[in-house]
Amino acid sequence: MSRLRPALLGLAVGLALADSSIVTLALPDVLGAFDVGITTVAWVLTSFNLVLALGAVPAAYLARRRPREAFAAGVVVFAGASLACGLAPSFDVLVGARCVQAAGAALLVCAALDLLSETLGSDERALGVWVTAGVVGAALGPAAGGVSTRLVGWESIFLVQVPVALALLLALRGLLARRVPEPAGRPHLTANLALLLVSGGLVAALFLVVLLLVDGWGMAPAAAGLVVTVMPAAAIVVARVRPRSLGGMTGVASGVILVAGGLAALGLLPRAGWAWTVPPQLLVGAGLGLALAGLTELALAGRADQVVHGGWTLAARHAGVVVGLVLLAPVLTDALEQSREEAIRAGAAEVLDSGIPPLDKLRVAQDVLDEVARANDAGELPSVERAFEGRPADGEWGSLVTALQDQLDRAITSAFSGPFLLAALLAASALVPVALLRRRRPA
Amino acid sequence: MRRASPLLVALGLVAAVVVPYLALGGASFEPTPTADPCATRDWRDPGGVGEALEQIALSSLDGAACKLGVTREELVLAVRSEDALERFAREQGISRDDAEQAVRDGMLRAVDDAEEAGVLSERVASLARRVVQAVPPWLVLQTLESLEFLLPG
């Protein structure tokens, strides 16, 4: 059990923090199930991250005296709330259950840090596992949620977590962890501010990339899940192999530059297609491995009571997620609306200038517009194939379908460009507190 | 400089991705802008009366769109049905009658242009003008197409 314990604790952290992003691809289904608007349904995502941000520090104070009991309580609350989410009869109950789920997550994640220290015998190693598990969980969450939603339904995202979470209580077998907590002292405000800003920018990498791949370009969630493993994989490799020269503030600053640069590259995609997202994801992942670990280490360095200061970094990261969601979601919504209009005009031009029979042109234009309206009502992106059902697929018709799909891809890709570039700016602004840190303590 | 080199490496890696993406058109990958309806479009060599009539219809849309200050594509989406034309008139802040008249004026201008260019005979042009003046805009092309078999080549 002592060998399995770090893995189980890491899995618990990853599972809990995956919930910060796991519903991303399920939002259209939740929207349909409860008949709510796009702005309202986003609360399923925002509420979890908001409560986690607000509850992390209080949870850490609760966990530091009795980490074993706090972990168990956190798991039970998380599992119970997950069950409530999966069985929610109304949208209000779902959002309420998500808030309780986040409170349980805060407790178990904070307690896990202390239990990892006890198990591994090293605060540094514990922190490494704790940060990495959280990053991997959050990065893989959207794809896992998307697959689950497509295969079974959105409720399965939550119901599957119940037995998994309860099984993780096995990590506590034979573990006695009772400590006398030291005074925690003030948090490291500058390091946590930098964490908040980088995390705000990372919202784009965690949420928008998956939305673009699956809802924008029509990729299957399982395939998209594979594509987005590039980012956490790069983060893990860099975090493990980073040389001494990349420790301290130089490593953090380099990491922030890579994150911001990768996000900017996502905003400048020259074509539609998953392969174009890989090099930017590698940059973001590598930057994550340097910046997140470095800033978390700095926020905890020399400070007593790792659990409380770990709680502060958890609060900073998820406050950053909330800031990112609040800033980027309306920008994306507006951009999609504008791009929709541009795509309709460009599509009409393609139809008018095509070689299909003249009398069919107005009819085709009408069918395309009807499909755009249907998709808009369903909260989906339009399908060119659906608009051309029952028509020839070759010759001038085939060329027209290809041309329309190209215009749609252009519209969708350009709509995501603004939010990615804004996220890059948000992440890059973390260089300001990092520069202040460098002046105080050179790398 | 030794301490700064990881920063330069990071900047270099970012440039290695961003610069090629920009060079490949990453800042301009967006829907094709629609053409200015007031600019002259080339007449394609029509293969028959049917294609000539189609070009007339499209040219008429350019003329009407130019007059209304909208694009040809916005106008074609507006003349697909009576409801669409009313919605278009509302969005442009003009009356439905003014919108319909602007479309008719554009169609008539295009017929004149086609006759002058020798694409349409005097007889066909005369018939096209009568259809344009008598039939709702969203039915003009359909009506002209259905009359094609009556017309000489």
Side-chain angles (χ1 to χ4, degrees):
Chain A
M1 179 50 68
S2 60
R3 282 188 183 178
L4 275 178
R5 192 170 289 124
L8 290 174
L9 291 169
L11 185 57
V13 171
L15 181 71
L17 295 186
D19 267 86
S20 67
S21 60
I22 202 166
V23 295
T24 305
L25 291 175
L27 289 180
D29 291 64
V30 174
L31 185 151
F34 294 113
D35 193 25
V36 293
I38 291 176
T39 314
T40 305
V41 81
W43 274 102
V44 178
L45 211 51
T46 312
S47 59
F48 183 93
N49 286 283
L50 186 60
V51 170
L52 190 52
L54 294 173
V57 175
Y61 274 101
L62 280 175
R64 68 187 192 137
R65 287 185 180 276
R66 293 172 180 251
R68 190 174 183 276
E69 289 80 359
F71 181 84
V75 166
V76 169
V77 169
F78 179 84
S82 298
L83 183 66
C85 287
L87 299 175
S90 71
F91 186 74
D92 290 342
V93 170
L94 175 59
V95 172
R98 285 281 282 167
C99 293
V100 175
Q101 198 191 29
L107 202 51
L108 83 87
V109 170
C110 290
L113 180 56
D114 197 74
L115 297 176
L116 279 165
S117 290
E118 289 283 333
T119 304
L120 293 170
S122 157
D123 286 351
E124 195 180 330
R125 284 181 64 199
L127 194 63
V129 171
W130 192 70
V131 171
T132 303
V135 165
V136 171
L140 296 180
V147 171
S148 194
T149 302
R150 293 290 189 278
L151 287 178
V152 187
W154 67 267
E155 299 90 339
S156 64
I157 293 174
F158 302 108
L159 296 175
V160 155
Q161 293 183 68
V162 179
V164 174
L166 292 174
L168 293 172
L169 288 171
L170 288 171
L172 298 177
R173 280 185 71 180
L175 179 66
L176 291 172
R178 197 161 286 194
R179 47 198 289 284
V180 178
E182 300 170 61
R186 288 174 52 217
H188 196 312
L189 291 177
T190 316
N192 281 304
L193 176 61
L195 262 177
L196 187 154
L197 292 169
V198 170
S199 299
L202 281 170
V203 163
L206 292 177
F207 297 101
L208 298 190
V209 171
V210 174
L211 281 176
L212 180 59
L213 289 171
V214 178
D215 286 339
W217 294 337
M219 202 172 186
L226 277 177
V227 173
V228 299
T229 54
V230 167
M231 201 172 21
I236 290 169
V237 167
V238 166
R240 286 195 164 226
V241 304
R242 61 178 172 149
R244 282 183 176 274
S245 61
L246 286 177
M249 287 301 97
T250 303
V252 169
S254 304
V256 171
I257 288 171
L258 288 171
V259 169
L263 290 171
L266 284 169
L268 296 170
L269 297 176
R271 303 283 186 277
W274 64 266
W276 294 99
T277 70
V278 171
Q281 285 194 71
L282 285 171
L283 291 178
V284 172
L288 202 56
L290 291 174
L292 222 61
L295 285 169
T296 306
E297 282 166 8
L298 183 68
L300 270 62
R303 280 171 161 74
D305 208 318
Q306 188 164 245
V307 175
V308 170
H309 292 287
W312 277 108
T313 65
L314 192 66
R317 279 160 43 194
H318 289 274
V321 170
V322 174
V323 166
L325 285 173
V326 166
L327 282 178
L328 298 178
V331 171
L332 178 63
T333 305
D334 282 348
L336 282 170
E337 182 58 38
Q338 190 179 336
S339 286
R340 190 178 82 108
E341 297 302 319
E342 289 170 2
I344 287 172
R345 281 193 289 274
E350 293 286 355
V351 172
L352 291 175
D353 293 333
S354 72
I356 67 173
L359 201 55
D360 287 330
K361 290 185 180 178
L362 280 182
R363 293 192 198 115
V364 165
Q366 178 65 61
D367 288 346
V368 170
L369 278 177
D370 288 345
E371 167 57 19
V372 169
R374 182 210 64 80
N376 197 46
D377 289 341
E380 301 168 4
L381 286 159
S383 160
V384 174
E385 285 79 18
R386 187 194 278 257
F388 277 75
E389 266 174 9
R391 293 193 166 103
D394 54 358
E396 292 290 346
W397 290 94
S399 300
L400 179 56
V401 168
T402 304
L404 289 175
Q405 186 62 54
D406 179 60
Q407 294 299 332
L408 186 61
D409 286 343
R410 286 169 176 270
I412 292 164
T413 307
S414 71
F416 277 79
S417 174
F420 276 128
L421 292 174
L422 181 59
L425 204 60
L426 191 57
S429 65
L431 286 172
V432 173
V434 168
L436 288 174
L437 288 168
R438 275 172 66 95
R439 288 173 86 178
R440 282 186 217 159
R441 42 181 289 167
Chain B
M1 188 63 186
R2 283 183 69 185
R3 284 183 179 172
S5 61
L7 295 176
L8 291 177
V9 169
L11 286 168
L13 287 171
V14 168
V17 176
V18 170
V19 170
Y21 277 27
L22 281 171
L24 288 168
S28 58
F29 186 64
E30 53 196 20
T32 310
T34 47
D36 179 2
C38 300
T40 308
R41 286 190 209 249
D42 295 331
W43 276 92
R44 294 199 311 267
D45 185 26
V49 172
E51 287 187 25
L53 293 173
E54 181 197 357
Q55 288 196 57
I56 291 168
L58 293 177
S59 179
S60 75
L61 290 172
D62 269 325
C66 180
K67 189 172 176 179
L68 290 169
V70 299
T71 64
R72 175 190 70 167
E73 289 72 25
E74 286 168 321
L75 197 58
V76 79
L77 295 171
V79 299
R80 68 188 188 278
S81 69
E82 194 171 352
D83 287 344
L85 187 66
E86 281 190 12
R87 199 175 324 126
F88 173 80
R90 243 188 346 263
E91 286 168 3
Q92 296 301 318
I94 57 177
S95 70
R96 181 264 176 75
D97 288 342
D98 285 347
E100 199 170 317
Q101 191 56 48
V103 172
R104 289 189 200 281
D105 290 345
M107 287 179 175
L108 289 170
R109 193 195 85 174
V111 171
D112 293 342
D113 290 349
E115 185 182 9
E116 196 173 316
V119 175
L120 291 181
S121 67
E122 187 182 337
R123 187 174 167 182
V124 172
S126 174
L127 179 61
R129 283 190 198 94
R130 288 186 188 185
V131 170
V132 167
Q133 282 161 341
V135 173
W138 52 89
L139 293 175
V140 165
L141 182 62
Q142 191 175 349
T143 307
L144 289 173
E145 288 276 340
S146 66
L147 294 175
E148 183 183 350
F149 73 96
L150 291 177
L151 304 173

